[in-house]
Amino acid sequence: MSLLEELYREAIMLHAKNPRNFGELPGADVVIEGRNTSCGDEITLFLKTDGEIITEITFTGHGCAISQSSASMMTERVKGRKLSEARDLIAKFKEMVVEGKPPAAELGDLRALEGTAKLPARVKCATLAWNALEEALLKLEEA
Ligand code: ZN
């Protein structure tokens, strides 16, 4: 394993053990539940916006280290961002993990999950929280 891969693995384990923005969010504008039955991962995403910016975002759930660390890093990355920026990050994350494209710099420590693109069974784990976020943004548009 290269030094970079080791650092990435460590980042994933740190987030999985000590997830950021973990917990329910009272008064959330939208709540989305996501499930990855092939691995047993579950995530509930809570989101608050002021109409333009994601002011607060939290999650609860359980599952494998990849699903939980991806959710933790995702919430850190999109909190305080515009909805349009969040949409852009969703696209860039999926390009990396689903399409196997080189990671965009904006993804920050989420680049630690680049390796999951080579593990088809884990792609669903990595994208679980992101699909929930995408669904949440769609729901907000409809509201
Ligand atoms: Zn999983």
Side-chain angles (χ1 to χ4, degrees):
M1 209 188 302
S2 72
L3 181 61
L4 190 63
E5 280 172 323
E6 236 170 90
L7 284 173
Y8 279 172
R9 179 175 289 241
E10 213 164 285
I12 291 168
M13 292 320 295
L14 270 175
H15 275 273
K17 272 190 204 153
N18 189 13
R20 316 291 151 80
N21 305 307
F22 193 87
E24 292 182 11
L25 180 61
D29 295 317
V30 55
V31 179
I32 299 287
E33 281 177 39
R35 220 176 232 114
N36 171 21
T37 48
S38 59
C39 181
D41 307 317
E42 285 181 20
I43 272 177
T44 305
L45 191 66
F46 303 82
L47 214 107
K48 255 188 206 177
T49 82
D50 66 0
E52 195 185 345
I53 285 168
I54 298 173
T55 51
E56 286 183 76
I57 179 166
T58 68
F59 77 101
T60 61
H62 55 88
C64 69
I66 289 177
S67 68
Q68 302 303 304
S69 63
S70 182
S72 172
M73 291 186 212
M74 182 274 280
T75 59
E76 269 199 329
R77 207 69 200 160
V78 302
K79 192 176 175 179
R81 302 270 185 141
K82 286 183 187 163
L83 302 180
S84 56
E85 287 175 318
R87 273 188 212 100
D88 187 52
L89 281 168
I90 293 169
K92 290 202 160 85
F93 185 78
K94 287 193 175 179
E95 277 173 13
M96 173 180 79
V97 167
V98 181
E99 296 171 35
K101 288 189 184 169
E106 295 97 307
L107 289 172
D109 61 0
L110 283 156
R111 284 175 289 183
L113 292 163
E114 183 187 4
T116 54
K118 298 188 193 96
L119 310 165
R122 311 317 296 274
V123 169
K124 279 188 189 169
C125 305
T127 52
L128 179 64
W130 294 83
N131 288 331
L133 178 62
E134 197 167 32
E135 210 181 315
L137 295 178
L138 280 172
K139 226 177 179 179
L140 284 168
E141 271 173 28
E142 289 166 7

